[in-house]
Amino acid sequence: MIGIFDSGIGGVTVFREILKELPHYSYLYYSDSKNNPYGDKSQEDLFQITENVVDYLVGHGCQIIVIACNTASAICKDYLRSKFDVPILAIEPAYKMVNDTNPKGKTLILATKGTIESQKFRELYQKYDNHHTAIYECVGLADLIEQNKQEEIGEYLKKHLSKFRGVENVVLGCTHYPLIQEQLRGVLGDVKFFDGSRGVVEELKRVIASNSFVPTKLSITFVDSTHQKIKERRFLELLEQSKNSIF
Ligand code: DGL
């Protein structure tokens, strides 16, 4: 079984890309909405929180773990890899993809405070810096998306991101943000979005092949740390929206 987790339902944006290419496996998705948002937490707290999540997933039979959260990936991946024997895959903001596709274009990177202040992000940014890039810490945005507060999301984007209208590339450096692409376009204009899910899918294919992981009938189990039924409904709805390309 493959375990996937995020601080809530945002990781569905990674999971749906995984399902498009790897539909013949068993998945356990852990939505840690009890600890949402991860983006404002200290490193010590995140180490503890994510270790508990991975412990749960491994304890329930997961042999591969996908961190479908940029914040937890940036801050905890090395720590988690040192604690567990299973392969642990991590996502990163798709800034390299900008470099590969439109390197001179005006770029905006959106992510949580935790991601942007991390050492891993600094290294990534320095490596691909195109000198036309703005970085914005979207404090509180993932939480609004998690709670599906559409009106507040609209106000948030207008208030904080209108000044960036005119950029060409937007790096969605948090797995919740692909869920609001239309609203982002409404404020930023006709931009090109980049997110890190592609990289995770490719890495997962490699890990599955090198571990001779045997395909099986698709099964998806969803667990939320607050046990709210509404989380599962929303998660399944979001999966359903991309159904044609998945099933
Ligand atoms: N979805 C997560 C990320 O990719 C975290 C959002 C949060 O809990 O702050 O960073």
Side-chain angles (χ1 to χ4, degrees), residues 5-233:
F5 76 94
D6 181 33
S7 64
I9 48 89
V12 73
T13 61
V14 180
F15 186 39
R16 63 192 181 186
E17 295 307 313
I18 291 175
L19 282 181
K20 282 181 195 166
E21 299 208 27
L22 297 163
H24 303 295
Y25 294 93
S26 298
Y27 295 94
L28 171 54
Y29 184 98
Y30 191 96
S31 151
D32 191 14
S33 60
K34 188 168 97 188
N35 292 307
N36 179 279
Y38 280 1
D40 307 335
K41 298 232 167 9
S42 69
Q43 172 176 293
E44 296 71 50
D45 285 352
L46 275 185
F47 278 4
Q48 190 58 58
I49 287 167
T50 56
E51 187 176 348
N52 289 343
V53 174
V54 177
D55 205 40
Y56 176 93
L57 292 170
V58 171
H60 283 76
C62 295
Q63 295 135 291
I64 299 175
I65 304 295
V66 176
I67 312 177
C69 170
N70 286 270
T71 312
S73 293
I75 297 172
C76 309
K77 82 171 171 196
D78 293 341
Y79 174 75
L80 294 172
R81 284 174 181 164
S82 75
K83 291 273 167 185
F84 296 92
D85 283 338
V86 296
I88 296 182
L89 283 61
I91 188 166
E92 71 173 16
Y95 194 40
K96 178 183 182 302
M97 240 164 118
V98 169
N99 193 273
D100 294 343
T101 323
N102 179 8
K104 296 215 165 75
K106 271 191 174 176
T107 301
L108 172 63
I109 304 178
L110 303 175
T112 65
K113 183 170 180 288
T115 297
I116 288 172
E117 290 178 0
S118 69
Q119 170 76 17
K120 291 270 186 259
F121 178 77
R122 254 195 309 279
E123 286 163 13
L124 178 78
Y125 178 65
Q126 278 159 10
K127 192 158 169 199
Y128 298 107
D129 182 8
N130 70 357
H131 305 288
H132 297 285
T133 297
I135 301 173
Y136 195 78
E137 284 179 10
C138 296
V139 175
L141 181 58
D143 195 23
L144 294 178
I145 301 168
E146 181 66 28
Q147 296 183 51
N148 204 11
K149 294 194 168 158
Q150 292 298 326
E151 213 168 295
E152 279 103 321
I153 292 169
E155 284 161 15
Y156 185 105
L157 299 183
K158 226 186 274 161
K159 179 167 173 210
H160 296 277
L161 302 186
S162 296
K163 57 178 176 263
F164 297 112
R165 201 174 169 91
V167 293
E168 294 163 56
N169 310 313
V170 177
V171 176
L172 302 173
C174 164
T175 55
H176 282 73
Y177 303 164
L179 297 174
I180 56 159
Q181 289 191 17
E182 284 321 305
Q183 292 98 311
L184 281 164
R185 277 219 171 88
V187 172
L188 295 172
D190 189 19
V191 295
K192 188 161 172 33
F193 290 116
F194 295 82
D195 76 70
S197 51
R198 216 25 288 137
V200 174
V201 175
E202 291 310 318
E203 183 62 12
L204 185 54
K205 285 202 256 179
R206 272 194 293 276
V207 171
I208 281 177
S210 64
N211 286 272
S212 317
F213 224 64
V214 186
T216 167
K217 194 170 168 302
L218 172 66
S219 85
I220 300 170
T221 306
F222 176 89
V223 175
D224 182 82
S225 52
T226 59
H227 310 291
Q228 296 172 72
K229 270 283 158 218
I230 190 167
K231 293 284 172 191
E232 181 163 15
R233 268 206 304 279

